[in-house]
Amino acid sequence: SSIRKYTSSQSTIDPYEIKKFQAWALRWWDEEGVYSVLHAMNDLRVPFIRDILISKSNSHQLECPLLGVKLLDVGCGGGLLTEPLSRLGAAVTGIDPLENNIRTAELHKSFDPDLDRQIQYKACSLEDIVDEATEAFDALVASEVVEHVGDLESFIKCCHQVLKPGGSLFITTINKTAISYALGIVVAEQILRVVPDGTHNWEKFVSPEELERLLESNGFVVEAVNGMLYNPLRGSWSWIENTSLNYALHAVKTGTPEQAVPPEQIGR
């Protein structure tokens, strides 16, 4: 089938990106370290995911609002987002192609018996699990991941395959603009060093318009795009209307990619 070609190769994995993150695999839970910006981002991304999933649910408990939700955290790293989502009641599967990241995540969750039961980690890529996990998940999170994948459209097709119909896809990433180069790479990596030098490649950044086009031509409908801004002096994130730097996106799985209407046929 046409889906098969997206599951038979490691097309979403970029070997250079893997090598880069290998060096930081033991440092995920250092809140002042190389991943401090991601720790701070939880203040925005966790409520963003939680509130949308609550709005899609008929019933939820206050203390466990995501109880019954099966969630896939793609590129989970050391589990920085996996853990808080599981604390909200979701049954979370965290996957990452780097075995050392998964070892770090496994070790950290082992300190909490409740998390140990709620979270399952696997050292693999998304396409490694598409066949066994077809339409298995209510929600998929790819936070600060799409700017590191090898082939973005193949990645989106895999996301579609593992989500249930009506399932939610959450993405946070960086826009491809002059300001994202100036602030996201020159200032953040080379001057302020809030992110390690070489973390990002501007060529792999993607605009909300391009991401929306890819999603909507592969069986998704985009429901929300929100701008995000990091304040390096305060070490905190806030929502803003402008999406020219960072943004969060929510899309819902509708049809199958094969049935999706090409953008040129719908006047876009």
Side-chain angles (χ1 to χ4, degrees):
S1 75
S2 60
I3 289 282
R4 183 65 244 169
K5 66 185 178 197
Y6 294 103
T7 63
S8 60
S9 71
Q10 292 291 320
S11 57
T12 68
I13 299 297
D14 183 329
Y16 174 75
E17 297 283 342
I18 295 295
K19 190 175 177 186
K20 189 166 67 183
F21 286 100
Q22 180 75 30
W24 309 323
L26 299 176
R27 301 169 71 182
W28 281 99
W29 289 96
D30 176 4
E31 292 188 28
E32 306 300 319
V34 292
Y35 292 115
S36 60
V37 173
L38 293 184
H39 280 274
M41 192 186 283
N42 277 0
D43 291 345
L44 286 196
R45 56 186 181 172
V46 173
F48 178 69
I49 295 163
R50 177 199 66 203
D51 293 349
I52 287 173
L53 291 178
I54 286 174
S55 75
K56 303 264 173 203
S57 162
N58 297 325
S59 61
H60 69 271
Q61 303 173 10
L62 276 176
E63 67 279 10
C64 273
L66 300 188
L67 195 64
V69 173
K70 283 189 71 181
L71 194 147
L72 180 65
D73 184 8
V74 178
C76 65
L80 299 198
L81 186 54
T82 324
E83 289 197 9
L85 291 172
S86 75
R87 289 187 198 284
L88 293 171
V92 190
T93 300
I95 64 170
D96 196 285
L98 261 183
E99 282 193 25
N100 283 356
N101 282 349
I102 293 299
R103 281 196 200 102
T104 297
E106 287 273 15
L107 177 64
H108 198 269
K109 78 157 183 169
S110 69
F111 301 132
D112 185 329
D114 291 336
L115 287 182
D116 231 5
R117 286 189 292 272
Q118 288 288 103
I119 298 173
Q120 180 185 12
Y121 286 118
K122 290 182 181 176
C124 66
S125 68
L126 179 55
E127 58 266 66
D128 287 338
I129 67 161
V130 284
D131 287 341
E132 67 186 70
T134 297
E135 297 195 348
F137 295 97
D138 302 297
L140 185 153
V141 178
S143 187
E144 307 305 293
V145 167
V146 299
E147 67 271 25
H148 302 290
V149 301
D151 180 332
L152 183 52
E153 187 158 24
S154 295
F155 181 83
I156 287 168
K157 288 177 188 289
C158 290
C159 291
H160 188 279
Q161 195 171 336
V162 300
L163 277 170
K164 296 176 184 176
S168 285
L169 172 63
F170 297 94
I171 291 172
T172 69
T173 190
I174 310 173
N175 199 344
K176 193 173 187 179
T177 56
I179 195 169
S180 75
Y181 182 81
L183 295 181
I185 293 181
V186 177
V187 174
E189 294 186 13
Q190 295 164 13
I191 298 173
L192 295 180
R193 300 196 180 276
V194 292
V195 182
D197 196 5
T199 299
H200 294 113
N201 173 0
W202 186 82
E203 291 299 325
K204 296 181 81 165
F205 290 0
V206 59
S207 70
E209 295 78 16
E210 171 65 5
L211 188 53
E212 192 164 343
R213 184 191 69 76
L214 283 170
L215 288 164
E216 300 207 335
S217 59
N218 285 289
F220 286 96
V221 171
V222 175
E223 294 200 341
V225 181
N226 298 343
M228 304 163 70
L229 183 67
Y230 181 69
N231 182 329
L233 301 176
R234 291 204 185 116
S236 63
W237 289 86
S238 52
W239 294 116
I240 55 169
E241 283 189 32
N242 190 311
T243 59
S244 61
L245 201 51
N246 295 73
Y247 62 96
L249 178 148
H250 170 238
V252 171
K253 172 176 173 172
T254 52
T256 61
E258 290 85 355
Q259 295 167 342
V261 182
E264 61 269 17
Q265 290 180 20
I266 52 177
R268 296 193 79 201

